Each structure stands twice: as structure tokens, then as C-alpha cells.
Amino acid sequence: MNADILNTSTILSTNVLVKNNSIPYEIIDQEINPYVDQWEAEGKFPAHKIFKILGTAGFLGVNKPVEYGGLGLDYTYNVAVAEELGNIRCGGIPMAIGVQSDMATPALARFGSHELKEEFLLPSIMGDKVACLGVSEVGAGSDVSSIKTKAVRKGDEYVINGGKMWTTTGTQADWMCLLANTSDGPPHRNKSLICLPMNLPGVHIARKIDKLGMRSSDTAEVFFDDVRVPCKNVIGQEGMGFTYQMIQFQEERLWAAASVLTTMDNIIQETVQYTRQRKIFKLPVLYHQAVHFRLAELQTEVELLRSLIYRATALYIKGNDVTKLASMAKLKAGRLARELSDSCLQYWGGMGFTSDVLVSRVYRDFRLLSIGGGADEVMLSIICKYMDTLPKN
């Protein structure tokens, strides 16, 4: 699988991106990284501009159907893209890209009608529309079954009331993949995913949330006040939204885990370079056994995580349910990202506590990984369920 993924990355670089006179490092190093500090300070990056560049290069629809602008490739290519985007010198922009490609659109691509795919999926793949995902609420984050937002059918429309929290790219999005209750049935069978244009009357962006990290990615609180959406905007079958979202989570969690691999590699390498130059007690910091042994341990952990992600991906493209492995990868990625950034920051000394170096930004950004997309405790519960060790009521 390792070789397959490496070959995938090579194929993606040579066949997909070169055909548009663009290669990954040119996009990242010329169009994104020079402006990251500015966007971090502003609390927002220009999503429409960046997504159009990425869409033209083929990044936003790697495994999506060709007839809707995608490349029709398997999910190993998404993992290759996620790893490549780890070269962006912040966490917020890769996260926002992941929402567009692997969190708000998988269910639409798999279960949506032709009409919905034409209206929402195709322009999202091409980078002409920015998508956001509306699942979490103030009282329902990791517990998706507890959401309160309602979509009540009236004639051939739904009337939507409620609100969503922690909506990535919410202040710029053109449409939302919204999870809402469409009946009063059991919580796992009363929900539907709905394509909701964000310019409809009654959609209110309450505020842009000020966050500890991921600062270049705008995050919104959104309210719905009698928003009317055609019933044809339901993705797949009404009442299947919870199931679709759980399937969608497999790709979201694999992508999230893969997206931090390269960043962790880069942090280790930058820490090696810095500690080779920085001296303490007349010796480079790197020469102290506690330091170079620790960096070796961390690099080993990154490689183990990479292998887990590759194994899960290999099974996923063969049609297997990889919920357990994806949850394991997400759990491990969140915990390792916290551990690695904390350890490396320590070796930077006072410089690590400034905003001048990447490790301090990563220290803030990576904290989200153990919370967003399902907290560590939820991942553990899912793993226990698959191990049949979860206590039964």
C-alpha cells in the first residue's frame, strides 16, 4: 500500500496538475504560503480565489464523478492530496479545503440527484462555489443524533428553523450541506441532508467566531429563520441523513488524519535544523540524547500513523466499512499531533513561544483535531462498539 500511495502521488503530480500548467508546490508556494501570515491576522483567507485555483488544478474533485467535473479516481488520490496540502504553513486552509472536497460533498456525490449534482456538486468541484457543512449545533457537537434544527415540509418546500455552530468557511459559503430533522421519528431515522443555498431569505450569519487556532479559516455561527428550500434539495432519501452523514464521516476522518502527516514531518525537520544550531551548555541541543531520541520516537509514530491511514484507505477503496480504522486514525492523529507539537515546541525554547515560527502555530491549530469531526472520546466509543466492549444499556 505504501508503494501504491507513493505512485498515486506521482501520478497526481504529473498527469493531473501538469496538464493545467500547475504543480502542487507552485500552488502552495506561490498562491498560498506567501499570504498565510496575512490571512491568519485577518482571520479569513479568500476561499473563492483559492478554491478556483485548486478546482482548476483538479484538487477538489479527485474521486468525484467525471460527468460532474471530477477526475473519477479512487480515494488513494485524496490521501495523496491531503498529504501534499500539509505543506501549507497553517492548519486552517487545508481544513477548509478538506471541508470542500471530503466533508460537505461526499454524500451529494454518492446519493444526490442529477439535478442537485449539476447545481451544487459540479461548481464546488470546479471551485466556483464554496461549500460548508452544517451538522454541529450549540448543544449537539459530537452527538449528531441530538441536533434540533428542523425542516418541516409544507407543500413542495421545507421550512427550516434552527441554527448551526462551528461552520467552517461559513461566512463565505455559497451553499451548505445541512443535516436537519425532517420528521419526529427515532433520532437515527428522522434526519435528512439538504443542499441549502446560503443566500436565501432567513439565513443569518450571526458572527464569525474568534478561535484559539485555525485562524485563517473563518468559522461561523448560522441561524435559520423560516428558510424555505425546495424538497427536491434533499440528498438521496428523506430520513436517511444520519446514515449518509456517518458514511460521509469515514472520508472526513481519513482526510483529517492524512492532512497532518506532512506537517508533522515538516515540524520534526525544522526542529532538527533549529536544535542543530541552537546551543545549550556548549553543545547543540540536538546532541543531547533526550532530544534526538525523542525526535526519533516521534518520527516513528508519524510513520505508524501513515501506515494505518494507508491500510484503511486500501480497504475503503475495495468497498469495506472502515469506520473502526478511520476512527482509530482520527484518534491517533489528534493525540499525536498534540504530543508532537508540544514536544517540538519545547525544544525551540523561548522562540517556540512566539508567533514567529511554524511550531507555535501548529501547536494551536492541531489542538482542534481531537475535538472537531468527533471528539477523541467519541472515537473511542466507536472503536469499543466495533470491538464489542461497549457496555450495553
Side-chain angles (χ1 to χ4, degrees):
M1 182 60 188
N2 195 336
D4 290 343
I5 289 287
L6 292 176
N7 290 339
T8 292
S9 186
T10 303
I11 292 167
L12 183 65
S13 299
T14 56
N15 291 350
V16 176
L17 302 179
V18 170
K19 75 174 184 180
N20 293 308
N21 261 342
S22 180
I23 55 179
Y25 73 83
E26 288 179 346
I27 293 176
I28 293 171
D29 287 355
Q30 294 181 16
E31 303 290 349
I32 299 176
N33 277 342
Y35 309 102
V36 164
D37 289 345
Q38 174 189 338
W39 297 335
E40 285 278 302
E42 294 172 351
K44 180 187 289 189
F45 78 100
H48 285 89
K49 175 185 176 182
I50 298 303
F51 284 5
K52 185 58 184 174
I53 294 170
L54 293 167
T56 300
F59 272 119
L60 300 180
V62 172
N63 70 328
K64 300 299 192 297
V66 174
E67 58 267 38
Y68 300 106
L71 300 176
L73 304 172
D74 65 55
Y75 199 75
T76 58
Y77 288 76
N78 291 56
V79 172
V81 169
E83 288 195 66
E84 184 66 36
L85 294 177
N87 285 309
I88 296 174
R89 294 184 72 82
C90 70
I93 296 171
M95 176 181 68
I97 295 168
V99 169
Q100 181 89 354
S101 63
D102 289 74
M103 301 178 198
T105 51
L108 174 60
R110 183 174 296 187
F111 302 109
S113 66
H114 170 70
E115 185 178 0
L116 284 182
K117 290 176 184 176
E118 286 280 344
E119 184 176 356
F120 296 102
L121 181 63
L122 191 152
S124 298
I125 289 172
M126 299 308 298
D128 295 318
K129 285 187 177 181
V130 173
C132 64
L133 181 64
V135 175
S136 295
E137 300 179 4
V138 174
S142 293
D143 183 9
V144 176
S145 65
S146 296
I147 65 166
K148 303 299 183 187
T149 298
K150 284 189 175 182
V152 178
R153 183 188 286 265
K154 293 191 176 179
D156 59 355
E157 292 181 320
Y158 287 112
V159 179
I160 301 172
N161 285 280
K164 294 296 175 180
M165 192 68 165
W166 318 117
T167 308
T168 299
T169 329
T171 70
Q172 303 183 70
D174 298 294
W175 70 280
M176 173 184 286
C177 178
L178 171 73
L179 186 68
N181 297 315
T182 48
S183 74
D184 295 323
H188 298 95
R189 282 179 243 152
N190 73 335
K191 294 168 175 54
S192 302
L193 284 174
I194 301 170
C195 294
L196 184 147
M198 294 291 281
N199 62 353
L200 291 176
V203 177
H204 304 290
I205 308 299
R207 62 186 174 113
K208 181 165 77 73
I209 300 168
D210 190 19
K211 309 185 300 296
L212 170 69
M214 302 291 192
R215 299 190 67 83
S216 54
S217 173
D218 57 294
T219 306
E221 182 176 13
V222 185
F223 288 111
F224 310 111
D225 182 14
D226 287 339
V227 179
R228 292 182 173 270
V229 179
C231 292
K232 64 182 177 60
N233 280 28
V234 168
I235 296 173
Q237 299 178 34
E238 183 182 280
M240 288 292 291
F242 183 88
T243 300
Y244 294 161
Q245 184 56 42
M246 292 304 105
I247 296 171
Q248 196 162 250
F249 272 149
Q250 292 189 72
E251 293 192 10
E252 174 175 341
R253 289 164 182 165
L254 283 175
W255 199 97
S259 70
V260 300
L261 290 172
T262 299
T263 305
M264 290 194 287
D265 286 337
N266 291 342
I267 289 296
I268 290 173
Q269 288 307 307
E270 291 189 17
T271 302
V272 167
Q273 294 168 14
Y274 182 73
T275 55
R276 199 187 299 277
Q277 299 169 5
R278 181 188 174 209
K279 290 187 177 181
I280 184 170
F281 305 126
K282 299 182 180 180
L283 279 177
V285 172
L286 183 64
Y287 288 8
H288 293 271
Q289 187 180 81
V291 177
H292 57 252
F293 273 16
R294 180 61 175 147
L295 293 173
E297 289 174 345
L298 292 170
Q299 188 68 72
T300 301
E301 291 293 316
V302 174
E303 291 305 320
L304 289 169
L305 173 61
R306 183 175 274 114
S307 295
L308 172 59
I309 293 168
Y310 289 177
R311 177 169 180 249
T313 303
L315 291 169
Y316 184 64
I317 65 173
K318 293 178 180 177
N320 294 287
D321 176 5
V322 295
T323 300
K324 182 176 78 170
L325 290 178
S327 300
M328 288 176 170
K330 165 73 165 54
L331 173 70
K332 182 62 177 178
R335 292 187 168 182
L336 179 58
R338 290 155 60 188
E339 181 183 0
L340 184 146
S341 59
D342 182 73
S343 292
C344 289
L345 188 150
Q346 183 73 19
Y347 301 145
W348 285 75
M351 280 300 296
F353 202 65
T354 72
S355 297
D356 298 334
V357 292
L358 179 62
V359 68
S360 65
R361 180 177 291 160
V362 169
Y363 179 83
R364 291 183 287 106
D365 287 352
F366 277 7
R367 187 61 183 85
L368 178 63
L369 193 53
S370 286
I371 301 171
D376 282 1
E377 293 75 18
V378 174
M379 298 302 100
L380 288 166
S381 294
I382 293 171
I383 296 165
C384 288
K385 179 181 177 181
Y386 276 81
M387 292 175 64
D388 196 26
T389 59
L390 198 66
K392 295 178 173 61
N393 295 329

